[in-house]
Each structure stands twice: as structure tokens, then as C-alpha cells.
Amino acid sequence: MTHATSQAIYRKNYTPPSYLIDSVALFFDLREEATIVRSRLAVRRGATNEPENNRPPLMLDGQRLELISVALNEKTLSPDAYVVTQDNLELPGALLSDAFSLDIVTRIKPHENLALEAL
């Protein structure tokens, strides 16, 4: 086993987040073959210096998830409206307002969880 060297994180290098998540509601549908997770996030723009017409994207981390749907302010987005990678979901800043709701539905397959991570 190798040990990674820790890097110091300094307060002077901190930048406030572009978006703040005020609340999260999670709903789980537990089944033997898969778990469906529905999340509802209340998101607002953070106190940043970015101009309103040049909002940064919202990046959400997630690994070993199958994305089923994304809805912004209760409107389902088409898959070409966002970017999904193996580890992230990215919503372009041009889609986002100062405050919005984000509903995400994902599927997790517990029997494929070889990393021994929980929900």
C-alpha cells in the first residue's frame, strides 16, 4: 500500500463557491437489482464576482451512478443540455438563474459495488 503525500491547503487560496445548496431532499426506492435515488436540491448563486451573463457551470460529483434524468425548475432537460462524465454532472452556467431547483434521478446497482461504498 502506498501513502499519498498530503498537500497543504491555505486560506489565501480559497475561493467561495459559485453555487450554494440550501437544501437536499433524497428519496430512495430500494430494490434487489437496483436502487433508484431521487434528489431535489435548492440551489442559489454564491457571492462571487462573476458577471451575471458569464455564470460558471455547476459541477456535481458522482461515481458509479447511472443518470436517468435531470430537471431544472421542474422542467426535464434533454441529455444534450448537460455534460456527464464518469465522475461528474456539469450544467452550463447559461442555463442557471440566481436561484433554482434541481431534480436528479439516478440508478445505483449495489451488486456491482466493488468499492464497498454505501449509498
Side-chain angles (χ1 to χ4, degrees):
M1 185 161 141
T2 61
H3 296 284
T5 306
S6 296
Q7 290 229 333
I9 299 173
Y10 298 100
R11 187 170 187 220
K12 67 180 180 180
N13 296 332
Y14 172 79
T15 56
S18 298
Y19 300 96
L20 302 171
I21 300 175
D22 291 322
S23 67
V24 176
L26 297 172
F27 306 92
F28 298 95
D29 182 1
L30 302 170
R31 307 279 172 116
E32 188 170 324
E33 67 283 352
T35 298
I36 303 297
V37 181
R38 289 174 167 67
S39 62
R40 170 164 281 182
L41 289 72
V43 185
R44 65 183 162 91
R45 192 164 177 210
T48 62
N49 294 329
E50 294 122 355
E52 194 166 321
N53 62 350
N54 191 23
R55 290 190 170 110
L58 172 63
M59 300 286 292
L60 299 172
D61 294 336
Q63 297 177 344
R64 296 175 198 74
L65 304 174
E66 177 188 345
L67 183 63
I68 296 173
S69 67
V70 178
L72 182 62
N73 294 325
E74 300 183 11
K75 181 182 176 210
T76 300
L77 299 177
S78 66
D80 62 341
Y82 50 84
V83 176
V84 178
T85 67
Q86 184 175 341
D87 298 324
N88 299 317
L89 168 63
E90 179 181 333
L91 295 167
L95 290 178
L96 308 174
S97 57
D98 286 343
F100 54 93
S101 66
L102 186 61
D103 295 286
I104 302 171
V105 181
T106 57
R107 179 179 292 121
I108 301 171
K109 296 181 180 176
H111 59 281
E112 294 177 8
N113 181 359
L114 303 178
L116 301 177
E117 295 175 342
L119 292 174

